[in-house]
Amino acid sequence: MEKLNITECRIVDQGLFQCPSAGLFQCSITGLVFRMEGEGEVLYRTVPWDRRLLAQSGKRPAGPLFKFTCLNGSICQLCLPHCEIYPGDGCDFLSVAHVTDDIIEFLDPHEITETHIIINITGFSAYGLTKDKEAPVFPIKALVLLFHRPSDDPELESVLYVLLLPRNVVLMKVQEERARRNGLRETFIETTSDCELTPDQTYSLSTDGYHQTKKFDTDKDYENYTTTFEVSLPAKVKKAELTLKKKKNIAWSTLDLLSSLFVNPPLPAATPARPPTFPGRDFITKHRIALETRLGLLQPILLHLEECKVLNAEEKEEVDSKSTKTLQNQALLDMVVRKGARAQEHFYQVLKKVNPYLVEDLEEQTV
C-alpha cells in the first residue's frame, strides 16, 4: 500500500472547506482528503449512522459518517481516513457506505493507502467507512484520550476519564460531545495518545492504587465516545504514571501524567454569573435592511443553523421555497428573530464563520 501523496491542504472553517485550484486537499480537523477538478467549496459535517440499515447488510461502522454538500466546483475523488493495520494487503472486509435518505449502497474502494480509503464519486449525500460484521480481528491504530475532572474541594479526590477509541474518530467531535455532557469543568489532557489496540480484546489500566480491566469495544465509538476507565485520583497528587497493558505487554503508557494540571493553583470558587449578553441581537437589529440583500450563499448558513438546532428541516425548506433571494433572506431573518436572543446569537456566530467579510464591513459602518 502506497502512502497518499497530498500536494496541498487548506482548512478554512469548521465544516467549510475551500480549494483554490485542482489537486488534493486535506482537512486538518477530520483527516478527509478531496481530489478537486478545479476551484471549489465543500460543506460537510458528521451525522449519526443508521445501525439498522447497516445490520441488515451485515455491516458495522469503521469510521464516522460524513454528509457533504458541494457548493461550488467539482470533486472527483474522496479519501476517507481509516485505522486498519493489515497483515499484508487484505482488505476485502472494508467498504464505503453511500447513504441517501433510507437507501444505502456499499462501494468497493478504488484504492487503499496506509491511511485512507479512496473512492471515485459523482454525487453527494453521506459517505462513511464500514466493515463486515464477521471481519477478521486485527490490531488497529487507536487513541488513548484523557479527560480530568477536578473536585470542587481540593481535599477530595478528582477523577480521570480514560477513553480508548479508533484513531479515525474526529477528535474535535469527541471534545465537543464531552463538553456538552459534562460541562467546562472537565479538562482534556494533551499527551501522547497514539497506540495499537485489538478490538474485543481485554486491556488493563493501572496506576498507583488503581488497577482495572476492560474490553476494547469499538462497536459504538464513532458516536457515543463512552468512557472506558474511570480513575479516582487522591487529593493533591502531583505525579502519576499510567500504563495500559494487554496481558503483560505494554500497549501505551505516560509518565508524570498530572504535572501539567498543577502548574496553576486551583480555580477559586465560582462567582455569581453575569447575565449573558447577545451581540447577535443588536447586530440583526442594526443591519436588518443590509442583511436582506447581502447575505450571499444561503446554503452554508442554513446547514449550520439546522445543525445547531436553530432551524428544523421544514423551516429550511420554507426559506428555500421563496421565489427570490431577497425573500429568502427576509424569511430566514424573520424566523431567527422570532426565536429570540439565543437564536439570533447563533445566526451571528454562523455568519461570522461563513461570511466574515460581510460582518466586518457592516460592523465597521457602525464604529
Side-chain angles (χ1 to χ4, degrees):
M1 294 178 294
E2 296 180 0
K3 188 175 182 180
L4 189 66
N5 182 25
I6 302 171
T7 56
E8 295 184 63
C9 57
R10 181 183 176 201
I11 179 68
V12 174
D13 208 338
Q14 183 178 354
L16 182 62
F17 192 85
Q18 292 182 344
C19 307
S21 63
L24 283 171
F25 298 85
Q26 184 173 34
C27 171
S28 60
I29 296 173
T30 63
L32 287 167
V33 178
F34 306 93
R35 183 181 292 277
M36 301 294 296
E37 293 182 336
E39 180 181 357
E41 292 183 332
V42 183
L43 190 69
Y44 57 95
R45 67 186 191 275
T46 58
V47 294
W49 282 100
D50 186 332
R51 292 179 176 272
R52 176 185 58 83
L53 284 177
L54 289 180
Q56 289 174 355
S57 301
K59 305 283 187 178
R60 56 188 175 91
L65 180 62
F66 296 97
K67 186 173 183 179
F68 298 89
T69 303
C70 192
L71 303 177
N72 293 300
S74 178
I75 297 176
C76 57
Q77 279 188 339
L78 177 64
C79 310
L80 297 157
H82 69 76
C83 58
E84 305 297 330
I85 304 171
Y86 302 114
D89 292 329
C91 58
D92 294 342
F93 52 84
L94 285 177
S95 58
V96 177
H98 180 208
V99 183
T100 307
D101 298 324
D102 290 331
I103 300 173
I104 186 168
E105 62 174 333
F106 297 95
L107 311 175
D108 292 329
H110 170 70
E111 182 183 351
I112 298 182
T113 74
E114 293 179 0
T115 57
H116 289 76
I117 305 290
I118 304 173
I119 57 170
N120 297 321
I121 60 174
T122 56
F124 276 94
S125 57
Y127 292 91
L129 290 185
T130 62
K131 181 185 291 189
D132 293 343
K133 267 191 168 293
E134 303 303 322
V137 178
F138 297 129
I140 64 170
K141 291 173 280 189
L143 297 172
V144 180
L145 301 181
L146 308 177
F147 293 85
H148 180 254
R149 179 186 286 271
S151 170
D152 292 331
D153 184 343
E155 300 298 324
L156 299 179
E157 293 180 332
S158 61
V159 180
L160 182 71
Y161 300 101
V162 182
L163 282 64
L164 306 185
L165 297 172
R167 195 180 300 179
N168 62 342
V169 297
V170 180
L171 179 57
M172 179 179 289
K173 296 297 293 184
V174 179
Q175 293 173 297
E176 288 176 352
E177 179 63 18
R178 297 289 302 188
R180 185 190 68 80
R181 292 182 197 169
N182 305 315
L184 300 178
R185 290 289 291 168
E186 192 176 85
T187 302
F188 174 62
I189 300 178
E190 299 269 1
T191 187
T192 302
S193 57
D194 292 343
C195 63
E196 295 181 7
L197 302 177
T198 304
D200 300 323
Q201 297 295 302
T202 299
Y203 289 84
S204 61
L205 185 76
S206 58
T207 187
D208 291 342
Y210 175 90
H211 182 89
Q212 192 172 2
T213 299
K214 290 286 185 70
K215 185 173 73 171
F216 177 38
D217 184 1
T218 62
D219 186 47
K220 297 182 179 180
D221 281 340
Y222 294 104
E223 295 166 17
N224 291 345
Y225 315 124
T226 53
T227 298
T228 309
F229 299 98
E230 184 174 323
V231 184
S232 296
L233 299 174
K236 298 182 179 180
V237 64
K238 300 290 185 177
K239 186 175 181 179
E241 177 180 351
L242 204 60
T243 303
L244 183 71
K245 291 183 178 181
K246 179 185 175 184
K247 297 183 179 178
K248 295 184 178 181
N249 298 318
I250 295 177
W252 172 91
S253 66
T254 184
L255 300 173
D256 201 14
L257 169 66
L258 302 177
S259 59
S260 62
L261 297 176
F262 296 96
V263 173
N264 299 313
L267 293 173
T271 55
R274 297 180 180 180
T277 58
F278 300 101
R281 178 170 51 189
D282 293 334
F283 177 81
I284 294 177
T285 301
K286 291 177 183 177
H287 304 295
R288 173 65 188 253
I289 295 176
L291 291 171
E292 289 180 356
T293 58
R294 295 183 60 188
L295 278 183
L297 286 172
L298 271 190
Q299 285 307 309
I301 299 174
L302 294 174
L303 288 170
H304 275 293
L305 291 176
E306 186 179 12
E307 185 176 2
C308 62
K309 310 299 184 185
V310 173
L311 298 181
N312 58 38
E314 290 75 18
E315 290 169 326
K316 181 176 174 292
E317 289 177 3
E318 182 180 342
V319 173
D320 286 333
S321 70
K322 303 300 179 183
S323 57
T324 69
K325 184 70 169 61
T326 299
L327 289 176
Q328 290 177 343
N329 294 348
Q330 290 173 345
L332 173 59
L333 292 168
D334 287 342
M335 288 178 185
V336 171
V337 169
R338 282 198 300 268
K339 290 174 182 282
R342 291 188 182 276
Q344 293 173 65
E345 182 61 20
H346 276 296
F347 171 84
Y348 174 64
Q349 297 301 329
V350 166
L351 192 61
K352 286 173 69 176
K353 292 180 178 180
V354 174
N355 200 339
Y357 294 111
L358 172 61
V359 174
E360 181 179 339
D361 181 66
L362 293 177
E363 290 183 331
E364 285 179 350
Q365 295 176 19
T366 59
V367 174

